[in-house]
Amino acid sequence: MLDKAYDPKAVEDRIYKMWEEANAFKADASSDKESFTVSMPPPNATGQLHLGHAVMLALEDIFVRFARMQGKEALWLPGTDHAAIATESVVIKKIQEEEKIADPRAALGREELLKRIAHFVDNSQDTIRSQVRKMGASCDWSRERYTMDASLSRCVNEVFVKMYKDGLIYRGHRIVNWDPKMKTTVSDDEMEYKDEKSPFYTFKYGPFEIGTARPETKFGDKYVVMHPDDKRYTKYKHGDQFECEWINGKITATVIKDKAIDPVFGTGCMTITPWHSHVDFEIAERHELDKEQIIDFEGNLLPVAKEFAGMGIEEAREKIVKKLDKKGLLLKVDEDYEHRVAVSYRGKGKVEPQIKEQWFVDVNKEVISWPAGSKKHMSLKEVMQSVIRNGDIKIIPDRFEKTYFHWIDNLRDWCVSRQIWWGHRVPVWYKEGSASSDMHVGVEPPEGDKWIQDPDTLDTWFSSGLWTWSTLIDPKLTGDNSLSLEDLLEKSPDFQKFHPTSVMETGYDILFFWVARMILMTTYATGQIPFDTVYLHGLIRTRDGKKMSKSDPSTCIDPLEVIPQFGADALRMSMIVGQSPGNDFRLYEEKIAGYRNFVNKLWNAGRFVLMKCESGGVNPGSLEAISGKRLVISKMNLVDRALMSELQKLVEDVTEGMENYKLSEVGERIYSFVWDYFCDWYLELSKENANPEVMVYAMRMILKLLHPYCPFVTEELWASFKHGDDVPLIQAEWPKADEKLKDEKAASDLQIMIDVISAIRRIRSEHSIESGKKVNVIFVTKNSEELLGELSEEIKRLAKVDNIKAQSSKYEGENTASAFTKHVEVHVPLEGLIDAEKEKEKLTKEKEQLEKFLKGVQAKLGNAKFVENAASDVVEKEKQKEKDAIQKIEKINGKLEIS
RNA sequence: GGGCGCAUAGCUCAGUUGGUUUAGAGCGUCUGGUUUACACCCAGAAGGUCGGGGGUUCGACUCCCUCUGCGCCCACCA
């Protein structure tokens, strides 16, 4: 006998092991079944699994289990990401704290530091693997990948070289976001902005007044820029030069007219520092102006600052202002100026724009043949737009398509090189001692000595952008350097079978970081889209709607604490039901506990059915009981027929919902079916007149439908309900609705009965009739005799009624308390008086509403256009509504006459 | 500055293309229950002018406009 309460701790690990041993997660590339692929977004190999991962795993596991049960060849490929800058900064910080080494890069050197990071990654990968298992994720561990695997690194190099040859990758001096703390560039998307108050100074600059919040960059400023249409400055022409007293003496300045200047802001003119500002850089490029570096890569001033050289930014700022003030050049200080400071998303250092020689991906060059093989050439930007616009890739929810297009419109060339050590090193070599033009770009190092590899590594998204397919390349092939990228794709069975993948499921926060980059990289490198559908989940928040942060454990729910307490199934349900794609949702313990209760409810329903089997002498594992052959619906009682019918509807609803990614609705539907219908009514009604075979049939159906959501408890119960030859539930076949088992009449009759019982209970409660006291009931309905025949005993039992009288016409007579259901009216004779006026008022109101409704329906039906254009079944439905309404009005009229 | 989203019961949220749902659920609250599957349970109740205003319509939680409050994304001013 099963325990009274379900204990997930005793079940989950054992079940997971069973699945693994049965090879249930393993996909077969040689299968001729339709494939279904999900690439697991690789968690950063830096630490622990958090709730964000848990949501991702729950959603994807549901997709995959459903597909697998539907008979598809389902592959869910797990892995981890080396997370370049994130990992390096974590390890560096750790070394700084634990070993008191101020600059671990300098102290340890490249090789040693990389060794340390690799070791750290090994450990956290183990942690992550075991944590993913705890969630019940049915991913194919035999195909686990890591972005730094040899085969994946080969792909990275291949793509880099291919892009270089196509002219999509170039090296250039461009302005980049420089993080002086981590000493690396950061991509546009890896920036965060913080509001900060800092003084805003207005200085005299020759005949002009210029404003700045950053006086320390102003040494090299020798251009003053204004809008060409600004009337205040019409007497100055573009190119005019003048002498001007500035920080370190006299300089010659030049007037530049450029539309980038906002005439309304400040004085409408400014000086520019092209080396340290994106906008200034662009202005300088347009007019071919000189650029000079003022601040070095450590964040200190260069010799151009003369007496200020070597000072840090903050220190220099104050002193420069003082000096200019002394010179009489400081006109105004606005202390309340608010502006935004750019901070690195990873390193959290203040970002300083710098000009640096870097590798870039050109997003505007039109060299990609797309769709693959066509003569039309598009830029990366255009391909990215096209696949969404043409519906090749669908984004759920679709409003994110707008955001996506907006992002692409603003997209600049992508800086892919980073000055950190942890990552894929740029596959470029320079001949030692020669000019930098003597350069080799290749998958393999060049032959001969004295070649030095570029010290930079690639942006982490460069490699994760290949994730959907680089993981499918056969590692046995990648050692063979004679194979081209095309060969690798063609000869890899997994790629051929499983790409493009089916669903990319991830948080909306990395739509740009990652999803867009995968589209970019994959369409270019493989000629295929990476996935058909993008499903974006929302972010989990605390009860008060705050972000969960690791730094504040009180707000944080740790999946690894929750799982032993409530079970992985409960956690999964709590994160799926009530969550809609693209919207944030709140999670807290009561919610999880609620689904723990649900899992336990199901468990007990299972126990109950097993009990009934035992007492009924039925072996739930016997073939006869489950085959359905003996389940002849015409021989069943009404309650069983109704259940059978409702089950078929449930299968249809669940299947349809799953296919349309409506996971929340499906979860709710099953929840309410199990609890509100199966347990509260069906099992209650079956207590004395049980048909164990029907119960077993229902249980098996429910277990299958619920399995993707609650894999552990359903699999565990399955052991009691499966036949000897049955496969584990994870491999079971998804049920199909059986038309023969549908019996709408039974379902609606039972519904009437349920309504009657509820109505009686309500009356009892309203009129405080003691629960033990039995009552007489009269109910009025068209088919009362039929119902009574089968159900009066059940009604008597469940509603504590000792006499039921049914009337097929109007009820007349003694004082009664009445309750109206959709189908019948229920009267319970009472000693006291009933408020007739109130009753009448209620009926009149109902009648009014119905009449209004009828009018609307009739107007619609009277509309020739509607009747012509609408589908015939829609019109039929309207006509039925009209009929029903007329009938009901008549009925009410009848009642009103009596009173 | 540009874009997107949210506002429904005390709390957290559902509500499909406008109509039969008397606007639903879970939690919480209150009342009553040891009915031997389950107290991680059962039966019932209270609680909503669906953010404000306007419009379209026979009919609006649902569509349009507007206002208010909150949140997010992108760009950015020197």
Side-chain angles (χ1 to χ4, degrees):
Chain A
M1 201 59 208
L2 304 174
D3 287 342
K4 199 165 161 182
Y6 173 65
D7 179 13
K9 279 196 301 297
V11 170
E12 295 182 348
D13 287 348
R14 169 166 50 80
I15 293 277
Y16 196 89
K17 205 171 148 219
M18 183 273 282
W19 288 329
E20 281 196 286
E21 280 166 3
N23 263 330
F25 307 154
K26 197 159 179 184
D28 177 7
S30 65
S31 149
D32 50 13
K33 294 191 222 163
E34 185 191 340
S35 71
F36 181 89
T37 317
V38 176
S39 297
M40 184 188 296
N44 287 356
T46 47
Q48 293 242 323
L49 206 74
H50 53 73
L51 269 184
H53 296 119
V55 173
M56 164 197 103
L57 293 168
L59 283 163
E60 289 170 25
D61 198 43
I62 290 173
F63 296 152
V64 170
R65 284 179 190 266
F66 175 60
R68 192 184 286 125
M69 289 176 82
Q70 277 191 313
K72 292 180 185 164
E73 194 59 41
L75 167 62
W76 186 14
L77 193 146
T80 43
D81 191 300
H82 68 284
I85 192 168
T87 313
E88 183 164 321
S89 60
V90 166
V91 175
I92 285 183
K93 209 171 156 196
K94 219 174 133 202
I95 295 174
Q96 284 170 333
E97 279 168 12
E98 288 171 11
E99 302 173 36
K100 308 284 173 229
I101 299 175
D103 185 353
R105 293 223 285 190
L108 300 173
R110 185 161 190 147
E111 236 174 88
E112 176 61 21
L113 184 65
L114 287 181
K115 240 167 82 185
R116 299 269 195 111
I117 298 175
H119 181 69
F120 172 80
V121 165
D122 274 348
N123 282 338
S124 56
Q125 278 174 330
D126 283 343
T127 317
I128 288 167
R129 281 186 201 109
S130 83
Q131 292 173 346
V132 169
R133 286 178 163 86
K134 292 270 177 215
M135 281 296 295
S138 64
C139 49
D140 187 346
W141 292 107
S142 73
R143 286 178 165 88
E144 187 191 345
R145 293 288 184 271
Y146 170 46
T147 45
M148 296 271 272
D149 283 346
S151 62
L152 278 76
S153 302
R154 167 86 187 270
C155 294
V156 167
N157 286 350
E158 290 285 352
V159 171
F160 186 96
V161 173
K162 182 177 157 79
M163 288 183 129
Y164 179 77
K165 285 182 179 155
D166 282 340
L168 285 173
I169 280 190
Y170 65 92
R171 193 180 189 215
H173 288 275
R174 286 302 164 91
I175 190 138
V176 294
N177 308 304
W178 180 258
D179 174 356
K181 202 170 150 201
M182 285 298 293
K183 299 205 174 47
T184 179
T185 53
V186 185
S187 78
D188 291 345
D189 297 307
E190 284 170 320
M191 308 260 281
E192 274 177 357
Y193 296 91
K194 275 202 309 212
D195 281 323
E196 213 179 75
K197 254 188 197 169
S198 69
F200 185 79
Y201 307 95
T202 306
F203 296 118
K204 188 168 161 50
Y205 187 82
F208 301 100
E209 292 179 8
I210 56 140
T212 184
R214 304 207 49 193
E216 69 277 9
T217 64
K218 295 281 141 195
F219 293 100
D221 289 11
K222 51 184 182 179
Y223 303 102
V224 59
V225 194
M226 58 219 70
H227 197 277
D229 301 335
D230 194 328
K231 286 189 183 122
R232 288 170 291 183
Y233 304 114
T234 38
K235 65 173 173 172
Y236 303 100
K237 298 277 170 297
H238 180 82
D240 282 358
Q241 296 203 323
F242 58 93
E243 288 269 299
C244 156
E245 180 62 32
W246 198 224
I247 309 170
N248 291 324
K250 279 211 179 333
I251 57 159
T252 306
T254 310
V255 172
I256 300 294
K257 301 264 180 167
D258 194 286
K259 287 184 178 159
I261 304 301
D262 177 4
V264 184
F265 183 83
T267 56
C269 68
M270 67 176 207
T271 60
I272 57 167
T273 316
W275 200 283
H276 299 292
S277 151
H278 284 92
V279 179
D280 295 5
F281 179 83
E282 279 161 23
I283 295 170
E285 284 281 284
R286 271 196 288 279
H287 303 286
E288 298 183 344
L289 309 179
D290 298 338
K291 310 180 189 85
E292 190 177 11
Q293 186 171 12
I294 312 296
I295 300 164
D296 69 12
F297 295 108
E298 315 280 324
N300 299 322
L301 288 170
L302 287 163
V304 65
K306 301 245 171 86
E307 68 204 80
F308 304 102
M311 282 186 199
I313 289 166
E314 305 289 332
E315 184 191 358
R317 182 176 297 171
E318 234 171 274
K319 293 186 173 161
I320 293 162
V321 172
K322 254 185 207 152
K323 181 169 181 190
L324 282 165
D325 191 16
K326 236 183 228 166
K327 286 184 152 192
L329 296 175
L330 176 62
L331 301 174
K332 216 165 59 188
V333 184
D334 176 2
E335 295 284 350
D336 280 334
Y337 179 66
E338 245 189 44
H339 74 147
R340 295 171 70 181
V341 185
V343 181
S344 159
Y345 170 67
R346 295 291 187 198
K348 303 285 175 199
K350 264 193 194 177
V351 168
E352 184 71 52
Q354 288 274 10
I355 293 178
K356 217 168 183 301
E357 188 166 42
Q358 297 288 332
W359 291 97
F360 292 88
V361 170
D362 187 331
V363 292
N364 291 306
K365 193 167 179 178
E366 299 183 345
V367 295
I368 302 144
S369 158
W370 187 265
S374 82
K375 279 183 191 139
K376 213 166 131 204
H377 288 272
M378 291 192 188
S379 67
L380 289 169
K381 250 189 186 182
E382 286 163 343
V383 176
M384 288 166 87
Q385 285 162 332
S386 145
V387 291
I388 300 290
R389 192 161 290 137
N390 298 340
D392 301 328
I393 298 174
K394 194 178 151 215
I395 301 182
I396 301 172
D398 58 8
R399 70 185 140 89
F400 277 95
E401 293 183 3
K402 274 185 212 162
T403 328
Y404 174 86
F405 286 127
H406 188 242
W407 176 79
I408 293 179
D409 289 342
N410 289 309
L411 187 64
R412 290 184 282 198
D413 283 0
W414 172 21
C415 174
V416 293
S417 44
R418 296 286 179 276
Q419 289 65 54
I420 56 171
W421 291 344
W422 181 242
H424 298 96
R425 206 155 161 181
V426 174
V428 176
W429 287 260
Y430 309 98
K431 189 101 186 189
E432 202 177 357
S434 72
S436 69
S437 58
D438 203 355
M439 178 172 89
H440 170 86
V441 178
V443 175
E444 290 296 306
E447 306 219 342
D449 295 338
K450 295 194 175 166
W451 286 95
I452 295 171
Q453 187 168 8
D454 195 306
D456 289 355
T457 52
L458 289 167
D459 182 6
T460 189
W461 304 105
F462 192 96
S463 53
S464 49
L466 316 178
W467 185 250
T468 62
W469 60 271
S470 63
T471 51
L472 296 173
I473 296 297
D474 190 344
K476 288 196 287 291
L477 300 173
T478 48
D480 182 349
N481 289 323
S482 68
L483 297 173
S484 67
L485 178 59
E486 286 69 28
D487 294 335
L488 291 174
L489 294 171
E490 206 174 297
K491 289 182 202 283
S492 292
D494 278 2
F495 179 78
Q496 293 301 323
K497 176 73 187 171
F498 295 112
H499 205 268
T501 65
S502 310
V503 194
M504 173 47 60
E505 190 288 317
T506 188
Y508 65 78
D509 54 330
I510 55 172
L511 175 64
F512 306 136
F513 279 135
W514 192 42
V515 177
R517 299 248 149 84
M518 280 191 285
I519 294 175
L520 182 157
M521 297 294 265
T522 305
T523 50
Y524 168 73
T526 71
Q528 295 184 4
I529 50 171
F531 28 71
D532 300 324
T533 304
V534 177
Y535 183 102
L536 299 169
H537 65 248
L539 277 29
I540 303 193
R541 292 173 177 279
T542 65
R543 201 194 179 100
D544 327 314
K546 289 197 196 98
K547 267 191 184 164
M548 285 198 187
S549 77
K550 276 177 254 170
S551 52
D552 182 3
S554 66
T555 66
C556 218
I557 294 179
D558 181 354
L560 298 164
E561 284 173 26
V562 167
I563 289 172
Q565 197 184 347
F566 297 104
D569 291 330
L571 176 61
R572 289 163 63 118
M573 283 295 276
S574 68
M575 292 186 304
I576 300 299
V577 179
Q579 191 248 36
S580 50
N583 294 324
D584 294 353
F585 65 105
R586 304 176 191 208
L587 188 69
Y588 39 85
E589 211 173 279
E590 294 97 296
K591 226 181 209 172
I592 306 169
Y595 290 101
R596 185 264 324 261
N597 297 353
F598 168 70
V599 167
N600 191 54
K601 185 78 182 172
L602 176 76
W603 178 257
N604 274 292
R607 284 178 66 214
F608 179 72
V609 172
L610 288 174
M611 236 180 64
K612 285 290 168 191
C613 286
E614 206 177 316
S615 60
V618 173
N619 174 7
S622 79
L623 189 59
E624 286 83 359
I626 60 166
S627 67
K629 273 182 200 155
R630 272 171 53 183
L631 296 175
V632 181
I633 194 151
S634 59
K635 289 184 183 164
M636 294 176 194
N637 66 35
L638 176 89
V639 182
D640 288 335
R641 291 202 309 278
L643 171 76
M644 291 308 259
S645 191
E646 294 292 350
L647 275 169
Q648 310 312 314
K649 257 197 278 176
L650 179 70
V651 171
E652 284 171 352
D653 290 352
V654 169
T655 310
E656 198 202 322
M658 295 283 267
E659 278 166 354
N660 293 305
Y661 299 101
K662 304 205 161 179
L663 299 197
S664 175
E665 282 172 43
V666 169
E668 242 185 297
R669 176 83 167 85
I670 304 176
Y671 178 101
S672 131
F673 183 89
V674 168
W675 201 314
D676 304 336
Y677 185 81
F678 186 66
C679 292
D680 286 351
W681 290 106
Y682 176 76
L683 291 182
E684 287 300 326
L685 291 172
S686 303
K687 271 187 170 161
E688 278 166 23
N689 193 12
N691 182 345
E693 292 174 15
V694 172
M695 289 182 172
V696 169
Y697 174 90
M699 270 310 290
R700 287 171 58 92
M701 189 78 103
I702 289 168
L703 292 179
K704 284 182 181 180
L705 295 177
L706 189 59
H707 181 255
Y709 287 76
C710 299
F712 289 115
V713 69
T714 53
E715 186 75 80
E716 178 69 2
L717 277 170
W718 183 250
S720 300
F721 286 99
K722 71 173 189 166
H723 179 253
D725 292 341
D726 267 342
V727 289
L729 187 54
I730 187 175
Q731 292 163 321
E733 204 179 319
W734 190 255
K736 278 196 188 74
D738 185 344
E739 290 298 321
K740 289 199 296 290
L741 295 177
K742 274 193 188 167
D743 185 342
E744 306 273 353
K745 173 82 169 51
S748 78
D749 281 355
L750 184 68
Q751 193 55 53
I752 292 170
M753 186 187 129
I754 289 173
D755 287 347
V756 169
I757 295 173
S758 301
I760 295 170
R761 284 174 178 166
R762 215 176 313 134
I763 292 168
R764 297 187 82 102
S765 170
E766 263 172 33
H767 295 271
S768 310
I769 302 168
E770 294 158 41
S771 65
K773 194 182 170 190
K774 294 205 171 184
V775 294
N776 294 312
V777 167
I778 301 146
F779 68 100
V780 182
T781 175
K782 249 185 354 191
N783 52 3
S784 56
E785 284 80 10
E786 290 167 50
L787 270 177
L788 270 182
E790 278 197 80
L791 296 172
S792 59
E793 288 312 308
E794 303 294 355
I795 294 175
K796 280 183 188 171
R797 183 167 65 85
L798 284 165
K800 294 229 166 69
V801 169
D802 50 17
N803 236 318
I804 293 181
K805 188 163 83 185
Q807 290 187 202
S808 50
S809 58
K810 299 166 232 169
Y811 174 74
E812 297 173 63
E814 53 206 300
N815 287 327
T816 59
S818 58
F820 298 91
T821 73
K822 270 184 212 160
H823 309 279
V824 294
E825 18 175 325
V826 175
H827 296 255
V828 174
L830 282 182
E831 315 247 326
L833 284 172
I834 292 297
D835 192 340
E837 281 307 307
K838 221 175 167 182
E839 220 45 62
K840 197 171 167 185
E841 208 175 286
K842 213 168 157 187
L843 285 170
T844 314
K845 206 175 153 196
E846 196 183 342
K847 187 180 156 190
E848 267 169 25
Q849 269 169 349
L850 277 165
E851 277 169 346
K852 248 175 155 180
F853 170 67
L854 182 65
K855 204 172 146 197
V857 175
Q858 283 171 339
K860 208 168 180 183
L861 284 167
N863 185 336
K865 252 192 197 164
F866 167 76
V867 177
E868 242 173 74
N869 297 335
S872 60
D873 61 317
V874 173
V875 177
E876 280 310 309
K877 234 170 114 188
E878 289 298 319
K879 281 184 182 164
Q880 188 58 46
K881 279 183 194 169
E882 185 189 14
K883 249 199 226 160
D884 291 352
I886 292 172
Q887 266 181 20
K888 280 177 197 164
I889 291 173
E890 277 171 7
K891 226 168 134 186
I892 293 175
N893 281 337
K895 280 186 213 159
L896 284 173
E897 274 167 34
I898 305 167
S899 55

